[in-house]
Amino acid sequence: MRIDVITIFPEYLAPLELSLIGKARKDGLIDVHLHNLRDYTHDRHRTVDDTPVGGGAGMVMKPEPWAEAFANVLASGKGESDDGSASPLVIFPNPAGEPFTQRAAEQRAEEPWLIFACGRYEGIDERVYEYLADQGVRVALSSLGDYVLNGGEVAVLAMTEAIVRLVPGVVGNPESIVEESHTSGLLEYPLYTKPARWTSPDGVQRDVPEVLLSGHHARIQKWRRERSLERTAERRPDLLEGRE
Ligand SMILES: CN1CCC[C@H](Cn2ccc3ccc(-c4n[nH]c(N)c4C#N)cc32)C1
């Protein structure tokens, strides 16, 4: 998988060199390229924004630098993708976008080439989306959640982690991405490790649930499913709507 990120803050994406994603890059499972949108400006101040037409607060990102950046990234990616024919999915993190869910992460993990476009200020001139679509580029607007961030970079970090961990070979034990929250459609069951009895700093002796020490896998599996259903009903009843 190739991932390109266009941003005015490439340093925000430094965490993509760390941990699981960093190792996937070293192992050649993914190829990440960062692009500074300001490199596609031609004025002394490297201007990427201007006032909103029609009035309103804040600034809007100008279309010209984005068009130049996409022309460059699309050309460089086509040249480098394995069969040269991969067509990218361009993802704009956007609070007005479709919710980014585990299902969306699974779908994006199938893509050979993703381009993330990080907006800032009040957002990007609408004509950029229209222009890309008219060029036949697949475009998706995805929202990380129902709250307002200051730009797309934090969303790209989260989306990239959720997507890349599903790429075959990235996570050592594929089993560990099967039972987790949201993959099964339910919230994850409570987790415990050793010691079986922990005396917490307040002096309370806290035991691991007996069933987990029984070695009886069917009972353990039943207990875990019951706890998942219980906490999903309590914290996220919306996930249970429409289930059998
Ligand atoms: C006051 N205005 C309101 C509109 C957004 C402006 C900041 N901004 C500019 C580009 C941009 C991209 C994503 C997000 C964002 N916010 N929340 C999420 N779940 C996002 C996602 N994905 C936010 C962004 C600030």
Side-chain angles (χ1 to χ4, degrees):
M1 175 186 282
R2 176 177 168 130
I3 298 176
D4 289 90
V5 186
I6 306 170
T7 170
I8 60 171
F9 293 127
E11 60 276 19
Y12 228 113
L13 282 302
L16 295 183
E17 292 169 16
L18 306 175
S19 186
L20 194 83
I21 296 175
K23 184 175 183 306
R25 293 172 73 173
K26 286 194 180 73
D27 294 349
L29 294 170
I30 58 169
D31 188 18
V32 178
H33 301 262
L34 304 182
H35 310 271
N36 188 332
L37 183 68
R38 291 195 192 278
D39 292 345
Y40 301 95
T41 61
H42 304 287
D43 64 302
R44 194 155 60 93
H45 298 294
R46 292 162 59 90
T47 308
V48 294
D49 63 308
D50 204 334
T51 52
V53 172
M59 303 294 274
V60 175
M61 299 191 92
K62 296 166 57 63
E64 300 95 330
W66 280 107
E68 278 197 43
F70 276 114
N72 177 277
V73 171
L74 288 167
S76 60
K78 276 201 180 346
E80 283 190 21
S81 64
D82 304 347
D83 57 11
S85 65
S87 82
L89 174 65
V90 176
I91 300 175
F92 288 88
N94 189 309
E98 293 181 7
F100 182 79
T101 62
Q102 186 65 22
R103 180 77 196 104
E106 290 163 0
Q107 290 168 334
R108 305 317 183 207
E110 302 288 324
E111 294 283 346
W113 183 12
L114 296 174
I115 300 176
F116 285 104
C118 299
R120 277 274 157 175
Y121 306 98
E122 288 308 305
I124 300 171
D125 188 300
E126 190 70 15
R127 292 168 292 182
V128 173
Y129 307 123
E130 294 164 6
Y131 164 68
L132 287 172
D134 288 350
Q135 299 302 304
V137 176
R138 292 180 295 138
V139 172
L141 275 63
S142 281
S143 172
L144 197 58
D146 294 339
Y147 38 80
V148 180
L149 301 169
N150 287 332
E153 287 79 6
V154 164
V156 169
L157 288 173
M159 292 176 184
T160 300
E161 180 156 312
I163 293 164
V164 167
R165 64 193 301 278
L166 300 177
V167 171
V170 170
V171 170
N173 172 11
E175 273 300 301
S176 65
I177 58 176
V178 171
E179 281 195 357
E180 57 197 8
S181 285
H182 301 292
T183 301
S184 63
L186 299 174
L187 300 186
E188 201 162 16
Y189 45 78
L191 299 172
Y192 296 87
T193 184
K194 295 186 284 298
R197 165 164 291 182
W198 172 53
T199 303
S200 46
D202 56 2
V204 175
Q205 290 188 330
R206 303 175 190 275
D207 292 348
V208 166
E210 202 60 40
V211 65
L212 299 181
L213 303 169
S214 69
H216 197 297
H217 296 295
R219 286 191 197 144
I220 292 169
Q221 197 170 15
K222 179 174 179 291
W223 181 89
R224 285 176 165 171
R225 179 150 179 91
E226 287 166 354
R227 300 292 75 72
S228 283
L229 284 165
E230 202 173 74
R231 63 174 35 178
T232 305
E234 184 188 330
R235 300 176 190 169
R236 289 293 305 276
D238 58 298
L239 295 178
L240 295 177
E241 283 157 22
R243 279 177 77 92
E244 294 296 308

